Amino acid sequence: MSRLIVVSNRVNPPSDQGEESVGGLAMALAAALREYSGLWFGWSGKTTPEFTGQLNIQTAGGVTSATVDLEEIDLDEYYNGYANKTLWPLFHYRIDLAAFDRAFGEGYGRVNRRFAQTLAPLIEPGDVIWVHDYHLIPLARELRSLGVKNRIGFFLHIPWPAHQVMINLPRHRQLVEAMFDYDLVGFQTAEFQQAFEEYVLSEADGVLVSPGRLKGFGRLLEVGAFPIGLDAAAFAGMLETAKARRMHDLMTACTVFRHLIVGVDRLDYSKGLEERFVGFERFLTQNPDLRREVLMLQIAPVSRESVEAYQEIRTRLDALSGRINGEFADVDWAPFRYVNKNYRRDELAGIYRAARVGVVTPLRDGMNLVAKEFVAAQDPADPGVLVLSRFAGAARQMKQALLVNPNSPEEVADALKRALTMEKAERIDRWEALFEGVTREDVTAWRDNFVAALTGPRALQRPALVR
Ligand code: GDG
């Protein structure tokens, strides 16, 4: 393989100063590109009055990136529109929040075309292209129409919804058919892969030719589950930094005689924050004897602020966190700390380490890297307990966590109590099994498995037409 070209909506490699960028995807991709001498292509995050396709090529933090600016209308229709107001809510089962607007679909197609036109001249024979996430589903179709014959893989970081949910999308067939222009399509879990297969079987005369080999729309496609992992060793290594130690000491100092419960999430309705807050409130109500022994810290940096649903959930969370403290706080004590600030990754590591309980309760999540970060940061001699939603992709691997239904305040409250009162021996047993999994199925394993499946001997030869 000569080069790996990674394509994602945003390109944000770590800078030479080692400053950490937010987002599980960003961390995972930077790690992949350092290994293979590669190129990272995508949107610069900036807008321009008129799209020119002019590339900005830079090398930083060991990663070469090529970015393009987009027009304001592209942002509205493609990024805020089709990606974040249509596909994101739909794929997270929030049909009530999904906007179906023809202009969004057109913007989505236009930006994918523009990406393809700008990227195609950079592609050399032998390059392998790895496209990421729901923003860029039709990219392979656009590249193929420009004559690109290289191997192209696609990885979906978010859930693939059940067939009955998927068919709410106008022109869903067109979107799924475009996926057959990839050589390999990867999902986070076997469950999402199955849901995709079921769609193809019922909507596109599909046939499962053999495990992982799917026929549909008269074409053949490789599919597989590739659960994303953490840069586990690097993350655990961060605990040794001065920033992590300081944050750990700070959190330990402000929870003397108390246990810290921590949640860290982008402020997003899929992360189950409202339900979690209500679950914590229920815990406080039901356990007057434990009340003064806990502090719950929720870190939730704001995201996608220009999308209304995100403004609304932010308002509701402000009210709910105020209500919980109003109800339970005393002159010298408050049970809940809710912050919208963004912290450095090493600081987060220190915070996780200081916590007795990590609470990760999304309503739906492709994987959820916070669950893995919490485990990676624990003290082996006195580890904390992970409370994890059954509906996170991570629940498939992390069976020794306390698994809960995030929609049930009772289950969340009971799990918090169980985690806080769990004997050390059980905490250690559970953590050891979780840590072994997080270390074994790390980001390197994820990347190598995907790239091997895309380039290996089992890979299909183009053209993959079967009639
Ligand atoms: C998508 C899928 C899938 C959060 N607050 C801060 C901060 N974070 C970091 C966390 C973690 C990342 O953001 C979030 O990753 P998640 O996996 O939890 O979720 P999404 O952002 O929704 O990512 C998801 C993922 O892609 C990868 O495939 O797991 O299911 O939705 O790393 O630590 N980072 C810093 N400061 C913060 O305040 N530095």
Side-chain angles (χ1 to χ4, degrees):
M1 182 175 110
S2 60
R3 280 191 313 175
L4 178 69
I5 300 183
V6 164
V7 190
S8 64
N9 169 58
R10 278 302 301 275
V11 174
N12 41 358
S15 74
D16 284 330
Q17 286 73 45
E19 190 192 319
E20 301 295 349
S21 46
V22 182
L25 177 57
M27 295 311 296
L29 295 185
L33 282 160
R34 266 187 233 108
E35 185 80 11
Y36 302 93
S37 59
L39 179 72
W40 190 350
F41 175 87
W43 175 42
S44 62
K46 296 191 203 114
T47 54
T48 175
E50 199 172 336
F51 181 80
T52 59
Q54 193 180 338
L55 282 167
N56 181 8
I57 298 185
Q58 278 182 337
T59 300
V63 176
T64 302
S65 58
T67 57
V68 274
D69 299 346
L70 291 175
E71 291 176 22
E72 202 69 53
I73 189 169
D74 293 335
L75 270 199
D76 288 349
E77 294 176 352
Y78 148 81
Y79 180 67
N80 289 322
Y82 201 76
N84 287 334
K85 287 186 189 161
T86 307
L87 294 182
W88 177 274
L90 187 72
F91 282 29
H92 288 89
Y93 289 69
R94 292 300 303 269
I95 303 170
D96 57 318
L97 296 179
F100 302 123
D101 182 331
R102 196 161 286 172
F104 291 175
E106 281 160 14
Y108 185 69
R110 182 178 63 244
V111 171
N112 272 273
R113 224 162 15 255
R114 287 179 165 175
F115 266 31
Q117 284 160 354
T118 318
L119 175 61
L122 303 178
I123 300 171
E124 292 166 12
D127 285 351
V128 170
I129 303 155
W130 188 5
V131 179
H132 291 263
D133 233 358
Y134 58 103
H135 314 84
L136 300 173
I137 293 173
L139 191 69
R141 187 187 57 194
E142 298 297 342
L143 287 169
R144 300 283 182 224
S145 76
L146 297 171
V148 173
K149 300 226 164 17
N150 302 53
R151 302 202 68 78
I152 314 180
F154 176 79
F155 184 76
L156 184 69
H157 289 259
I158 66 174
W160 183 271
H163 175 213
Q164 288 303 315
V165 174
M166 186 62 195
I167 59 177
N168 283 282
L169 183 73
R171 294 193 281 174
H172 48 88
R173 270 180 62 93
Q174 194 183 314
L175 189 75
V176 179
E177 185 172 8
M179 292 171 84
F180 280 74
D181 274 310
Y182 289 98
D183 295 290
L184 169 70
V185 169
F187 300 91
Q188 297 271 24
T189 67
E191 182 196 348
F192 302 147
Q193 177 189 338
Q194 260 167 27
F196 177 77
E197 289 170 358
E198 275 165 25
Y199 174 95
V200 175
L201 298 192
S202 45
E203 294 287 327
D205 293 329
V207 179
L208 197 55
V209 180
S210 58
R213 208 162 264 204
L214 185 62
K215 190 182 145 194
F217 304 97
R219 322 266 297 271
L220 205 51
L221 175 70
E222 296 251 354
V223 288
F226 303 88
I228 199 168
L230 196 65
D231 199 352
F235 194 77
M238 276 183 195
L239 291 163
E240 305 305 322
T241 63
K243 293 253 184 235
R245 281 173 190 272
R246 193 184 136 64
M247 195 50 115
H248 175 260
D249 293 348
L250 202 64
M251 291 317 299
T252 310
C254 62
T255 49
V256 181
F257 303 122
R258 297 165 77 189
H259 289 310
L260 178 65
I261 301 172
V262 72
V264 176
D265 308 76
R266 271 189 313 101
L267 207 169
D268 191 296
Y269 49 79
S270 69
K271 301 292 181 185
L273 292 165
E274 263 181 290
E275 293 74 7
R276 185 182 311 168
F277 288 13
V278 172
F280 179 59
E281 187 178 35
R282 184 71 60 99
F283 165 82
L284 293 173
T285 308
Q286 287 176 350
N287 298 284
D289 52 323
L290 291 176
R291 253 178 230 165
R292 289 188 71 99
E293 292 187 17
V294 298
L295 168 67
M296 175 151 162
L297 167 66
Q298 176 65 54
I299 296 177
V302 288
S303 69
R304 304 178 192 169
E305 282 172 280
S306 44
V307 177
E308 253 169 49
Y310 288 75
Q311 296 158 8
E312 285 164 12
I313 191 189
R314 188 171 179 192
T315 308
R316 288 201 298 276
L317 291 174
D318 286 346
L320 202 46
S321 59
R323 183 177 93 194
I324 295 170
N325 273 335
E327 196 178 337
F328 293 100
D330 220 324
V331 283
D332 61 333
W333 167 86
F336 197 30
R337 218 168 269 178
Y338 170 54
V339 290
N340 296 125
K341 242 177 92 172
N342 207 329
Y343 291 87
R344 291 170 52 101
R345 235 174 128 65
D346 42 13
E347 290 177 330
L348 283 186
I351 294 173
Y352 292 134
R353 176 78 166 216
R356 169 56 67 89
V357 183
V359 57
V360 181
T361 51
L363 305 180
R364 289 271 158 195
D365 218 329
M367 175 55 59
N368 196 297
L369 290 172
V370 171
K372 298 187 173 185
E373 290 165 4
F374 176 79
V375 166
Q378 293 309 299
D379 176 358
D382 190 14
V385 180
L386 176 65
V387 174
L388 178 62
S389 162
R390 296 183 183 285
F391 307 125
R396 301 267 144 177
Q397 295 167 300
M398 305 182 84
K399 299 212 160 69
Q400 297 79 9
L402 298 183
L403 296 181
V404 293
N405 173 356
N407 297 295
S408 159
E410 267 102 13
E411 272 196 36
V412 174
D414 290 353
L416 288 176
K417 180 171 182 186
R418 190 157 167 228
L420 287 162
T421 53
M422 191 181 285
E423 293 295 332
K424 195 196 262 189
E426 185 179 351
R427 282 191 277 124
I428 292 177
D429 281 352
R430 286 175 179 269
W431 175 81
E432 280 176 350
L434 289 169
F435 185 72
E436 193 276 322
V438 166
T439 329
R440 182 167 35 83
E441 297 173 312
D442 69 351
V443 73
T444 313
W446 169 72
R447 167 193 80 202
D448 291 350
N449 288 340
F450 189 91
V451 174
L454 182 57
T455 55
R458 240 193 125 239
L460 292 166
Q461 294 307 307
R462 300 228 125 240
L465 277 174
V466 280
R467 299 215 183 261

